[in-house]
Amino acid sequence: MMKKTLFFLTVALLSVAALSAQPLNQSTPEANLKSAKEAEENGNPAEALRLYEKVFEDNKDKALNAKIAQMNFELRDYEKAEKAFNRLVQRDRKMEYVELRYWLALSMKYNGKHVEAIDMFNQYIADGADEALKAASKREIAGSELARKMKQPE
């Protein structure tokens, strides 16, 4: 009798321990995605970015990564934006993310990497489809050329 009681008590304690290990209030990726879209629509890009990043931890989707990169750019975190855009552009063998080359180049320019930015703007001009962005790329190249010629403060 004592052995049965001890056995059931042990099973009950292990069950309680297993149940307490499960998070009770963790939201699903779908709920986070919906909340992120709502935050973006309501003009709260910082919260939207936080939620998109949470969803990206569970779902390594390229389109979501592009959205995160764009949000970082909008929030003027050009270093994070450049890293995210660069990952997408460098791994884009199917030419799905050609338009992101413009944003990568702009991020590079804002980070002071004018030579790399000029190269990326030229790649966008060669492969991109949006004529307005091609014209903007030419203006940005001219600006980067001027910045390269300027004496940098010490």
Side-chain angles (χ1 to χ4, degrees), residues 27-75 80 84 87:
S27 55
T28 65
E30 293 79 20
N32 283 335
L33 187 60
K34 181 181 176 193
S35 297
K37 288 178 181 176
E38 287 174 4
E40 190 176 2
E41 289 170 2
N42 293 332
N44 190 352
E47 179 65 13
L49 175 62
R50 186 186 70 77
L51 291 166
Y52 280 130
E53 286 173 340
K54 231 175 165 182
V55 174
F56 187 72
E57 289 173 8
D58 296 326
N59 179 7
K60 303 289 185 193
D61 182 38
K62 287 182 181 180
L64 191 56
N65 196 15
K67 184 71 170 171
I68 290 170
Q70 195 66 42
M71 297 292 296
N72 276 314
F73 187 88
E74 289 175 20
L75 289 170
K80 282 186 180 179
R87 270 193 306 271

Side-chain angles (χ1 to χ4, degrees), residues 13 24 47 61 63 77 111 119:
L13 287 174
L24 298 175
E47 179 65 13
D61 182 38
D77 191 344
N111 286 329
D119 181 49

